[in-house]
Amino acid sequence: MAETVVRNEYGEVVFVQAPEASTLESATTLSTPQLAAEHYMKSLQDTLGLAGTRLAGDPTLEGAGDTPVAEFQSERDVAGTKVVVYQQRVMGLDVFGARLGMQMDGESLALESVQSSMHAEIEVENPAALAPAGTRKLGRAALVKLLGIELPDMDNARIERQVVLRYEPDQREETHDHEGCIGGPGVDLPRLPAPKLKGLAKGKHYICDEVLFQAAMGKGQAPVNWRALVEPKSGDVLYLRALVACATGLVFDRDPQTQTGANVSAASSNAVLNPFRSSHTMAGLIPAVPQPLSGNYVRIAETQAPVQTAPTVPNINGAFNYDAQTEEFTATNCYHHCDRLFRTMEDYGFNVASYFNGTTFPVPCDFRALGDAVNAQAPGNAMGNGLLELRFGKMIPGQTIGIATDNRVVWHEFGHALLWDNVNSPNFGFAHSAGDALGAVLNDPGSQAADRFMTFPWTAAGLNIDRRHDRAIADGWAWFGPRWNTQYGGEQVLSTTLFRFYRAIGGDSPHLATQRRAAQVTAYLIFKAIGLMTATTAIPEVFVGHLQTADRTTPSFKGIPGGALHKVIRWAFEKQGLFQPGAAPGQPQTVNREGNPPDVDVYIDDGRGGEYTYLANHWSCQDMWCRRRPDGGLTHQNPLVGFKSYMYVRVKNRGMQPAQNVRVDAYHALPGSGLAFPDDWAPMDTPTLSAPGPLAPGASVILGPFRFVPTVVGHECLMAIAHATGDPGNDTTIQGTIPEHRFVPFDNNIGQRNISPVRPTILDIIKLFRKHLIWIRNPFRKPVVAKVEVTLPRFLQKLGWRIAIRSAGGAKFELGPRESRKVMLVLTRGKDFDADLLRQSIDRKDDEIRISTFLDGELSGGMTYKLDFRTARDDDPGEPDDDDDDPPKDGPPNGPQDWPPKLPDRPVRTRRPTMEEILKILRGEEIDGGTRGIRTMRLEIDFDGD
């Protein structure tokens, strides 16, 4: 992958993806993540624009005075990726929010990406404001005077330290367009008075006192932690934030709408709502007598008024079973959903304690903290570097059911919890959080909601809540479009983007197992990408880069190797308007079209024009075709088994720049279900061919012929992988062996076409259709349960026709890791039928025999026997070999004496048989005394793209 550099409005580098290899000597210096990071930091200082910043241990710092320093802050492991974080300091003080993170492969310590919020140049405007270290306490009156505003219950104010702040006028205080969300109905946060400091200007650096205190955001609200950065000389507040995040009116946990589409609300009775309850284990509870809802990750706690007693049961074996319209039911939901947040991450392979290293466990969860307010909150701790607690209110004011019963609300709050520990803020900087996306994606598989794209369907049943994840660019919902902002407008743009990604990788499949797999992968990448972040950013491309790094550095997740999805990630953001001039912070919000594709984007068209909408059938790429001679013909011919055949591939460029060094690598494989790359694929006799020159944007080139010899009658799998400088195929990024249905559809560089080779003797064709073998493979490194389902045309089923599975285990059996099994399919005869019934079946499209294979419930592949009722003289009209008895160019394997093939009466290439003739063959009967020739029956073995 080509090096990608993203800059902010100051021209500073904020993200580098796939940085160029270090030119410095390495050898033993890369033995630990910290040593490797120090090495990379020195190597990349010029690239990062940090030539004026030195490492803390650099001896050149002696006597350097106010030279900025990059000081090691932390090291953590995020699902196999090492992240080493540096804090920028000057004059002995932290530069506020200025950090740099090195993301490295956990095993090789190879550098994958760098995120930086460090400043290229720092000139402190008020150096005389530097004060001795130490905590200074402030009384309430002094705090009110200092801030120039008064909030309810202001208390516990102190100056912990000083920091250096780069002043940004538009970030001085939170935007006021979501006050109702932050504090609930009736809250009106006061605005800061205008600053008095002379010469105060955007981009200048000032020493500030960091004032930490507690205060409520409205009368009757619970206190939360706050941070203010105050310039000491003038007393101006240059930065103010409440360390809290929340979501208004979010209600749900596989709620009735998602379960069945039911028309109910939080005002419905127990008789209506109770049937939607389901029994779940209260995981992680710490045994006690009596047993409270308190576990290793979360605990139900009474942190705020109003007081509401939490339920208990006599012992650890008790059941927290309550009617829906009770406080106890809300409390039980609150524990289960909040615990599931952290337990899901644990199940996905994350080290929860390391990921949330600023959070104290178990996290207190107050299911009635916000009273009747339709609200939820995820406040940060006093230092703003971890989650303090989770707070919830009601779903509908005046009703008993609380908002904590909705797992979509809880997932939304978790979006903030993920950010607190990693970027020390509840928000990204370019969007509110990824919470809406997590709630939408994880609840979509199997959802029966009437509107799939309503983010909080149960909330909408009782309140006028309009949060969606199908927002259109045309309506202003582009990245940096008219309706985007850094809070909820940005969150809906982000959730639409991430939901598009989920749909593309399997969320739009009709199979539940595939939907679930796509949802889990999407959530995993969100978790990991946030874990790789080191600071907030106004530039969404930084998060795109972290998502791609998360994919490429994942050894395996749910049996799927990493490195297969990074192109789909970029495309999802491109479709929502990112990656184009004018789409940047500080620019006019006028984006009204999709973004630009990558500079170089070569592809083999599978019908999607190089894009990544969900594709179930990935094995029928029409820009790959075969010829029996290397004649450059443009239409497909079914090759002959045992004879040299020739594949051609058309490559296109949808990128913005000419593609250099374009080549195609060609492979073929024996038929089967569950093929894995690269294990089951072999290079063709002609393994690779290159284009004669650059490929211009929008242009195409045909590469070929690629020579190969098909060996199996009825089916052969062909694959082509295009490469270009700056756009290699994913065969170079995958972390090991990958099932083809999780490989081909997610890289437009890759094309696959399954073809039907013909053996030129009628006896072999008859034998093929009397019984047929397929191979079922397990591409995973764990045991799976394989299941084979056979579907005949309905009219044949009614007449008693059947396909029997004559193999050990029958239609359902276990396959060990990487194991394969031959399955025999045998068609048995039913009652006869007449021509009219055949014609009627054709008109109804009732003309396929389908064999589908499932691995652990997920469709992995199959076969389709297309019964062609038409009579035709030729399946390759107009081709040069139609009326020619000469062998293909290069001849048959054993020389000219093998040509023409010895057939009963006339050449195989005569005409296509009728349906009645095919059925006679399948029954083992003769056709007109055995004298009628058959060209071939179209046979496809399909590998479903799920």
Side-chain angles (χ1 to χ4, degrees), residues 1 85 353 388 559 577 605 636 680 702 776 818 823 857 907 909:
M1 185 174 184
V85 182
L388 174 66
D605 196 357
H636 176 72
D680 297 322
I702 295 174
I776 309 296
R818 306 291 293 145
V823 175
R909 297 187 306 276

Side-chain angles (χ1 to χ4, degrees), residues 78-81 345 350 355 523-533 546-547 549-555:
V78 183
T81 302
M345 293 195 70
F350 291 91
Y355 192 103
Y524 172 87
L525 291 176
I526 292 172
F527 295 156
K528 184 169 181 178
I530 293 175
L532 299 181
M533 297 184 70
H546 283 307
L547 286 166
T549 298
D551 169 54
R552 288 197 310 273
T553 60
T554 295

Side-chain angles (χ1 to χ4, degrees), residues 438-502:
L438 288 170
V441 166
L442 290 171
N443 283 282
D444 185 71
S447 172
Q448 301 300 309
D451 187 344
R452 180 188 185 190
F453 299 101
M454 184 176 289
T455 306
F456 304 104
W458 202 10
T459 304
L463 297 169
N464 184 25
I465 300 297
D466 183 26
R467 293 274 278 280
R468 302 186 62 83
H469 44 275
D470 64 345
R471 295 300 194 183
I473 289 177
D475 295 332
W477 295 96
W479 287 106
F480 306 106
R483 305 193 70 171
W484 169 87
N485 59 40
T486 61
Q487 289 296 326
Y488 291 104
E491 178 140 20
Q492 291 182 76
V493 172
L494 179 61
S495 63
T496 300
T497 302
L498 294 174
F499 199 78
R500 176 184 290 108
F501 169 75
Y502 153 73

